[in-house]
Amino acid sequence: LTLIISGFYNIRRGSWWIAGLCGFLACLTRSTGILFALPFLYEYLQQHNCKLRAIRFNILAIGLIPAGIITFAIYCYLQFHNPLLFLQAQTHWGRFLHPPWYGIEGAILALFNSKAILSFLFLRNMLDLIPVFFILTILVLSFLGPWRFSRLQWSYGIFAVAVFLFSVSFP
């Protein structure tokens, strides 16, 4: 989180290489760090008015972000002879990539199939669904509601939507 916040700070200042380095380090710590490339690209294009002539050499700093995951994959290969070990570790806990609605749909079906409102399964699924719908509501309101972000702040919303979709895709 600190690296992503530092990355956003440096994006706002136009320090693209430092922001790319923050993204690189964020990717070394968590795979969700790769999602930082979306607001990075959005902010870069926004600050350069989406003109191809305004794009400079510093756009290559975005390449540092996926380089973090590539570096970690190389480490996994050298240490464990499997470059994708960090992805396969998720399967040990029964977490697989699914469409974003898969876990939500499963929790709603489990609510209807539970025997009583105060049963363990009903309460567990409600405790899973309430935060998901709360965050989804906040994300929608950040773009459409009366308290929506200004266009200059959309990069925060883009990152939040990407992280939300990533997290619900691994139920």
Side-chain angles (χ1 to χ4, degrees), residues 5 9-10 12 32 35 38 40 42 55 58 65-66 82 91 94 99-100 111 119-120 123 132 146 149 157-158 163-164:
I5 290 171
Y9 174 75
N10 285 296
R12 290 297 183 155
T32 53
L35 301 174
L38 295 172
F40 186 101
Y42 176 80
I55 294 177
N58 56 7
I65 298 169
N82 186 354
T91 61
L111 286 177
S119 69
F120 172 76
L123 293 174
V132 168
F149 289 138
I158 290 169
V163 169
F164 175 77

Side-chain angles (χ1 to χ4, degrees), residues 43-109:
E43 279 290 327
Y44 190 89
L45 294 174
Q46 182 77 17
Q47 289 183 23
H48 291 85
N49 297 322
C50 295
K51 295 180 181 176
L52 290 177
R53 294 178 190 235
I55 294 177
R56 300 288 177 247
F57 180 72
N58 56 7
I59 185 84
L60 296 178
I62 197 171
L64 290 173
I65 298 169
I69 286 184
I70 293 168
T71 303
F72 190 66
I74 291 169
Y75 167 77
C76 287
Y77 178 74
L78 294 173
Q79 190 70 24
F80 306 107
H81 307 294
N82 186 354
L84 301 178
L85 186 64
F86 62 96
L87 294 175
Q88 293 171 353
Q90 296 294 322
T91 61
H92 177 70
W93 294 295
R95 297 183 72 193
F96 300 95
L97 180 64
H98 292 287
W101 58 85
Y102 179 82
I104 298 169
E105 178 184 353
I108 291 172
L109 289 175

